[in-house]
Amino acid sequence: MKNVGMKAESYRTAVATAILHAPSHCIELLRNGNTEKGDALKTARIAGILAAKRTDELIPLCHPLPIYRADVEYELNETHVVIMATVETIGPTGVEMEALTAVSLAGLTLYDMLKPHCEPEDLCLDQCKLQKKKGGKSHFTRVLKEPLTASIIVLSDTVASGKKPDTAGQNVLEILEQANFVGIDYQVIPDSPKQLLALIEQQKNQYPLIVTVGGTGLGPKDLTVETIQPLLQREIPGLMEASRSFGQRRTPYAALSRGVAGYIEKSLVITLPGSRQGAQESFIAILPALVHLFDVQKNIPHTGGYQ
């Protein structure tokens, strides 16, 4: 079963259709609700909704999801009926299979309720397919349309002294490269506010994005927030709210992160935790928002907001 534990939840929808071919007198039975077994359209609608809600029990390796909406509708034609299912959720993975399962079970229910009224060869369920989906990476992209440069500043006495390798900063570097950031400057410095201030002064306006890694906790040398926050000219509190919320669903320690984010002149500066897991979770949570921000504003952060 695929691990979706590190995927951010988003609002997701899927629409699927199928076609049941049947003789015209059977279509009339559907229209009037007069099959031998009762109202086939109503019964099939309930069957489709139940199927959407229980897809994870029917299809191996399909993730269970909270289904916030499941509906089945019909379009009756002379010799066929179009079945359409719409499914919605807020979750880490999509509801395509739920929509496809819903139209399949609704179609099979109609087939079962019509078969006493015609020959087997007169009925055919086909063209079961996904019509559209929305949400997740197909809608909230994690890749820049145009490449941008970025800077990573890792703050750690032990890493800077060579006593241990840097895993958090390297992980952030990989995520940035996958998101189409290029020419990424990567530096490791000690837990030194003075050195951090000098680097920020040097890099602001040079890099659209500056990411610090480390110094957001409550240790005596965790001073990244105290160093960066007074410099912020336009803070974006929602970014760190999102990262902490995402992290707290995975570890209660995320509540202790004091990260901040905002603009220092033309550079967006984000402070991430120094642990590999903390940095990864925080950045995954805010990456779609960052990509959207840079794509929409075209790296011109003070021109009046979204276009």
Side-chain angles (χ1 to χ4, degrees):
M1 195 170 190
K2 185 178 180 180
N3 182 9
V4 296
M6 289 300 291
K7 295 179 66 177
E9 293 185 346
S10 65
Y11 173 71
R12 299 168 182 266
T13 65
V15 177
T17 58
I19 296 177
L20 178 69
H21 299 274
S24 58
H25 72 275
C26 288
I27 300 297
E28 195 62 28
L29 291 172
L30 294 180
R31 198 183 308 275
N32 297 328
N34 288 332
T35 75
E36 185 180 286
K37 296 182 179 182
D39 191 324
L41 294 180
K42 290 181 179 179
T43 303
R45 179 173 181 268
I46 297 300
I49 293 171
L50 287 173
K53 295 169 67 176
R54 302 185 68 174
T55 299
D56 64 293
E57 299 177 28
L58 300 171
I59 300 179
L61 309 182
C62 198
H63 290 89
L65 290 169
I67 302 301
Y68 295 141
R69 179 197 173 196
D71 204 0
V72 176
E73 299 175 293
Y74 308 100
E75 179 186 302
L76 298 178
N77 295 280
E78 185 176 350
T79 59
H80 70 275
V81 53
V82 178
I83 310 159
M84 181 175 69
T86 304
V87 183
E88 301 178 12
T89 189
I90 297 175
T93 188
V95 282
E96 299 96 310
M97 295 312 302
E98 284 74 9
L100 289 164
T101 303
V103 292
S104 299
L105 264 292
L108 290 174
T109 301
L110 293 180
Y111 189 110
D112 178 62
M113 297 182 74
L114 287 177
K115 62 184 174 63
H117 302 279
C118 61
E119 297 300 320
E121 60 269 18
D122 292 335
L123 297 174
C124 176
L125 180 63
D126 70 358
Q127 296 187 45
C128 178
K129 59 184 177 181
L130 184 71
Q131 294 292 347
K132 64 179 179 179
K133 57 176 281 192
K134 183 178 180 180
K137 64 182 181 181
S138 62
H139 185 72
F140 303 108
T141 181
R142 295 171 176 270
V143 180
L144 292 168
K145 293 178 182 176
E146 298 179 6
L148 288 175
T149 58
S151 169
I152 299 172
I153 304 171
V154 178
L155 295 105
S156 171
D157 287 343
T158 53
V159 174
S161 64
K163 293 179 180 179
K164 73 173 186 179
D166 169 47
T167 57
Q170 287 296 318
N171 191 252
V172 172
L173 177 62
E174 292 176 9
I175 296 172
L176 284 174
E177 289 176 339
Q178 292 170 4
N180 200 24
F181 285 89
V182 298
I184 301 170
D185 184 76
Y186 168 84
Q187 296 189 51
V188 178
I189 63 173
D191 292 304
S192 166
K194 184 176 181 180
Q195 289 190 45
L196 177 58
L197 279 172
L199 267 179
I200 294 295
E201 181 63 29
Q202 174 189 333
Q203 294 185 353
K204 67 181 183 182
N205 300 321
Q206 179 181 356
Y207 295 100
L209 176 65
I210 300 174
V211 181
T212 69
V213 181
T216 64
L218 292 166
K221 302 197 74 175
D222 288 331
L223 299 174
T224 300
V225 173
E226 286 82 355
T227 304
I228 296 295
Q229 194 159 35
L231 304 177
L232 298 178
Q233 297 160 320
R234 177 172 288 183
E235 195 167 348
I236 311 177
L239 289 177
M240 290 299 105
E241 290 169 7
S243 71
R244 281 188 283 269
S245 175
F246 186 84
Q248 281 180 272
R249 298 191 64 181
R250 288 149 182 86
T251 170
Y253 301 153
L256 299 175
S257 177
R258 301 180 300 120
V260 293
Y263 281 102
I264 300 175
E265 296 189 17
K266 292 184 179 180
S267 294
L268 175 59
V269 181
I270 295 169
T271 63
L272 300 181
S275 71
R276 183 184 186 280
Q277 190 72 10
Q280 181 184 34
E281 290 175 358
S282 298
F283 209 57
I284 285 174
I286 63 177
L287 183 57
L290 293 180
V291 168
H292 176 73
L293 179 63
F294 285 123
D295 280 347
V296 170
Q297 295 193 334
K298 298 181 177 63
N299 198 29
I300 307 174
H302 301 302
T303 56
Y306 298 134
Q307 299 172 355

